[in-house]
Amino acid sequence: MTVALLKYYERNQQKSQTKFMKTGYSIRTWRMRLVCPEPIWLARTEEYFQNVVEFYYHLLRQHEELWNSSLFDIQRSLELLTLAGRDGRQPTNPLPMGKVPVYLRRAAINKASATVKSTQELQSGFPEKLEAKVTFFKGMYSDLTDRSICLKLWNGEKWIWTDCNLKGRPFPQDGQLMSPTLVKEGRRYLLNIPVKQENSDARTAKERMAEGTNLCSVRFTNTDTFAVCCILDEQGKQLAVHTCRGGDAYRHRCKLLETRIQKSRPNTVGDNSPQPNRKYYMHLKNLSEHYAHQVSREILNFCKENQAGIIVLPDYDQNFTRMAMIKSGNFSPLHLSSKIRTNLQYKAWAEGILVLETRTDGLKDKCAICGGKVRRKGNEFLCENGHQGNRFLNDARNLGRKCQDSFFRGSRTK
């Protein structure tokens, strides 16, 4: 009977903690292939939007008194200058393209205003031409699913609702779909669709540490192992270890593509193509993105399996990072760590896991078991007190414990 009561109490306590857990949200972008029955209308819509942006951009540059105003005040002032009033007031600078859909017009004003403000803050010269991508706000799209969308497109004479198909991975069931943006890549069109999802755990790092959250420290390498991951409990005790392999395969595949580029280069010297060997470079880019997503997802799954609420990454000096990247090469496991970091930031937050960075000064020369000095021999380390093992795992342990010590001081079990 006592055991049953204890289990009942624990279940209620867990429910209570979940109920009052701080929540947040994350926004990730889905890149969907857009198949339109009239692709020329997409090009005309882009051109139309570009003309509206440039019109408001040059108009705003002429009214310097508006530059320090808020974006809302700039929008209101520019609309008064360009739109007729309900009381019969005539605009001083009417839109040359006639009536523009309200949300498209305001998107153009915001783009022009943001450019002027950023140029003013950076004290740089104003660009003569802006590159603006069309964002379909409310009233410009409808019936959005992961297979189709209805867009309001400009055919050169009028706006027409057009049914289009989408190709890509399905949207999450609990996600809130936001306004899509039209992007052209080569000959194809894409829709970048932000998806807002609730984050079940928005506690700060300090709150997580105080509650004894497990921590995962990560050490990137330039070997066949992309990363060595180590799970530590609140006392700094190691609970689990995982290695993300595939670095040699990634390096080999990149070298094969680089060899093909070198062989084909003499045959493309006289070509008028603006991007010779583009297919090979795109293959390299896709290969890097594939491995970066794969490794970041592998690290994240390892954290979820071991209930780790914090991921700690090494924070290096900028000069050291630059030199290390140069020496390792553009297509090496270590160089790919920058993309893995970027992917971990948004993927982990979507799962309620925080990503922190901690300086690595002095960690490579200390034994994580006893604190003694170590010397390195290849991928292994040897401690002055006789301890030995993988030096990357030793670095990961030290990194995680240093992060824990930065939040609180206390006794540690070795």
Side-chain angles (χ1 to χ4, degrees), residues 219-228 244-252 255 316 320 323-338 340 364 378-379 390-392 395:
R219 170 68 158 88
F220 297 108
T221 83
N222 200 34
T223 65
D224 181 54
T225 301
F226 280 107
V228 176
C244 303
R245 299 187 178 277
D248 288 346
Y250 168 70
R251 196 196 312 265
H252 175 69
K255 284 186 176 180
Y316 301 112
F320 173 81
M323 293 304 298
M325 293 300 182
I326 292 174
K327 290 181 179 180
S328 64
N330 290 334
F331 302 103
S332 64
L334 185 62
H335 201 279
L336 193 66
S337 64
S338 59
I340 298 173
K364 295 182 178 181
N379 293 338
N390 186 282
R391 67 181 180 92
F392 302 122
D395 294 347

Side-chain angles (χ1 to χ4, degrees), residues 39-53 132-134 136 153-154 159 182-185 189-190:
I40 188 64
W41 292 359
L42 295 174
R44 289 172 180 171
T45 303
E46 280 189 308
E47 182 181 2
Y48 185 97
F49 181 69
Q50 184 73 34
N51 292 336
V52 178
V53 171
K133 295 180 174 59
V134 184
F136 293 90
L153 302 177
W154 179 254
W159 293 95
L182 183 66
V183 178
K184 187 176 184 181
E185 286 191 358
Y189 281 95
L190 303 176

Side-chain angles (χ1 to χ4, degrees), residues 115-163:
T115 302
V116 170
K117 278 186 168 293
S118 63
T119 303
Q120 183 188 14
E121 292 174 358
L122 297 174
Q123 297 182 352
S124 57
F126 286 99
E128 291 299 323
K129 187 175 178 62
L130 301 184
E131 293 295 332
K133 295 180 174 59
V134 184
T135 299
F136 293 90
F137 288 104
K138 180 181 177 181
M140 298 294 295
Y141 75 97
S142 65
D143 303 329
L144 174 58
T145 68
D146 53 14
R147 290 293 176 263
S148 63
I149 186 174
C150 188
L151 297 175
K152 196 174 185 180
L153 302 177
W154 179 254
N155 70 348
E157 298 179 357
K158 61 181 180 179
W159 293 95
I160 298 179
W161 284 101
T162 309
D163 292 322

Side-chain angles (χ1 to χ4, degrees), residues 64-77:
E64 190 173 348
E65 70 278 5
L66 299 176
W67 293 359
N68 294 322
S69 302
S70 65
L71 291 176
F72 178 80
D73 291 336
I74 292 176
Q75 175 184 298
R76 182 174 180 277
S77 300

Side-chain angles (χ1 to χ4, degrees), residues 204-220:
T204 64
K206 188 174 182 180
E207 292 171 336
R208 294 169 193 247
M209 286 292 189
E211 295 173 12
T213 301
N214 290 346
L215 175 149
C216 176
S217 56
V218 180
R219 170 68 158 88
F220 297 108

Side-chain angles (χ1 to χ4, degrees), residues 20-32:
F20 296 104
M21 187 83 72
K22 291 199 302 186
T23 60
Y25 68 89
S26 63
I27 298 178
R28 291 187 291 173
T29 301
W30 258 245
R31 289 166 57 84
M32 308 292 285

Side-chain angles (χ1 to χ4, degrees), residues 365-377:
D365 301 325
K366 183 175 71 171
C367 176
I369 300 174
C370 65
K373 292 184 178 180
V374 302
R375 58 184 178 88
R376 290 177 289 173
K377 184 178 180 181

